[in-house]
Amino acid sequence: MTRTVYLNGDYIPETEAKVSIFDRGFVMGDAIYEVTAVLDGKLIDFPGHMARLKRSLGEFSIRNPLDDDAYLAAHRKLLELNGITDGMVYLQISRGNGGDRDFVFPPEDTPPTVVMFTWNKPGMADNPLTQTGIRVITLPDIRWKRRDIKSVMLAYPSMAKMQAKAAGRDDAWLVEDGFVTEGTSNNAYIVANGTIVTRALSHDILHGITRAAVLRFADEAQMKVEERNFTVAEAQAADEAFITSSSMFVMPVVQIDDAEIGTGKPGPVAARLREIYLEESRKSAI
Ligand code: PDD
């Protein structure tokens, strides 16, 4: 089915959406993005995604072309036009069309390019992988040093994911100076001695919107949380491991490289967090 997508204020068939070859997003990776989950036709944690969008734009010095209400209206209109009940909305903003390829930014008044599109994922919250968990390999984290900015420079995460697939695994955890940073497109956690451990926020990782919610819910449920670095060896010896992201919510990890985690089956902490996350996120969805 041809989707209706959003391009700079217009709602048009995906086949008609055209962006200049000089767009900075295309030639320079000079663009930022957000991915928001949709359950029961409603947007999960939309204010969180808007806050991070504005932060990413600010860090890139890209002018924010729309206000929050306009982003919300456009998201909702795309859901309606594409009949999405469960799925995702992708939003990308680039520095726009510089008129040529140039390392110098185009003039301040160059309009940013705004693109939005949807994915239909019926039953997304009942992902069968939740029952089996996922298996990851570890790879060196050779991304740039501002991973807190949600930029479209995703060549390495994509290559890492392909390496995982080639090894017969689902994903890769990235490792820097002996410590796990995060997954290719998700935040990474372990559960050891009854404590949920995940790397603290810094420029080293994306500040996951799901991460923020899950840690808040864990705290409210009196679960112990430590935000600190952990090694691959510590993760392999943990009782549980899991990831979070807007598309996977909370997903158990049952193998890291050659080591099975805990019983080799999804553990109770990840299952409980997933349940709370889905329940609470549905309540606050808009
Ligand atoms: N990825 N870390 C990285 C490197 C990510 O790309 C993502 C999200 C996350 C989790 O963030 P959040 O909970 O806000 O989705 C962590 C999205 C889903 C993607 O690129 O498709």
Side-chain angles (χ1 to χ4, degrees):
M1 197 187 97
T2 308
R3 279 173 289 194
T4 299
V5 302
Y6 174 103
L7 175 60
N8 297 328
D10 294 329
Y11 297 86
I12 50 180
E14 64 183 60
T15 46
E16 285 169 29
K18 304 275 193 302
V19 175
S20 166
I21 62 160
F22 296 119
D23 193 277
R24 302 265 315 178
F26 179 61
V27 284
M28 295 283 186
D30 191 0
I32 60 93
Y33 75 107
E34 281 297 328
V35 181
T36 304
V38 180
L39 291 176
D40 312 321
K42 290 182 174 174
L43 297 155
I44 302 293
D45 224 331
F46 191 71
H49 288 283
M50 284 298 101
R52 187 172 62 189
L53 173 81
K54 285 180 273 189
R55 181 173 180 279
S56 295
L57 286 171
E59 294 298 311
F60 261 31
S61 305
I62 295 178
R63 178 159 53 88
N64 185 4
L66 298 174
D67 63 27
D68 285 12
D69 288 345
Y71 287 118
L72 179 58
H75 274 66
R76 285 180 166 160
K77 186 155 178 183
L78 277 185
L79 295 181
E80 190 192 313
L81 290 172
N82 291 291
I84 308 287
T85 305
D86 292 345
M88 316 289 295
V89 184
Y90 179 87
L91 160 62
Q92 176 175 325
I93 303 173
S94 82
R95 200 180 305 280
N97 174 3
D100 204 342
R101 180 177 180 274
D102 194 341
F103 281 78
V104 174
F105 287 177
E108 291 270 330
D109 58 357
T110 304
T113 303
V114 185
V115 168
M116 295 184 219
F117 56 82
T118 53
W119 288 285
N120 194 17
K121 291 189 169 191
M124 183 171 60
D126 304 315
N127 188 340
L129 275 178
T130 316
Q131 304 309 318
T132 55
I134 64 164
R135 299 182 304 145
V136 303
I137 57 168
T138 59
L139 288 174
D141 194 341
I142 57 169
R143 296 174 299 164
W144 79 326
K145 298 286 183 187
R146 288 304 306 273
R147 303 156 193 158
D148 56 309
I149 303 170
K150 198 162 172 61
S151 92
V152 302
M153 293 182 279
L154 296 172
Y156 183 65
S158 187
M159 287 162 73
K161 181 99 180 174
M162 290 311 290
Q163 236 176 291
K165 294 275 176 207
R169 302 295 173 80
D170 302 289
D171 205 354
W173 276 16
L174 305 177
V175 180
E176 187 170 58
D177 301 328
F179 297 104
V180 174
T181 52
E182 58 186 334
T184 59
S185 56
N186 42 69
N187 291 114
Y189 307 73
I190 58 171
V191 182
N193 306 317
T195 302
I196 299 160
V197 181
T198 194
R199 195 174 175 109
L201 296 182
S202 71
H203 289 176
D204 298 341
I205 60 168
L206 187 74
H207 301 186
I209 303 303
T210 320
R211 177 189 183 281
V214 162
L215 292 189
R216 192 172 68 246
F217 299 143
D219 199 46
E220 285 168 11
Q222 331 264 294
M223 294 168 160
K224 256 181 79 187
V225 175
E226 270 179 28
E227 293 181 66
R228 63 165 173 83
N229 287 0
F230 60 88
T231 63
V232 175
E234 190 181 0
Q236 288 175 322
D239 302 316
E240 285 185 47
F242 63 92
I243 56 164
T244 65
S245 78
S246 297
S247 51
M248 300 287 255
F249 308 121
V250 179
M251 178 60 66
V253 172
V254 294
Q255 188 171 345
I256 302 171
D257 289 331
D258 291 331
E260 283 202 335
I261 309 308
T263 60
K265 300 238 158 49
V269 175
R272 180 77 190 118
L273 281 174
R274 184 179 174 93
E275 191 179 279
I276 303 174
Y277 175 78
L278 285 172
E279 191 182 319
E280 293 300 320
S281 303
R282 282 191 150 112
K283 274 192 221 157
S284 61
I286 59 172

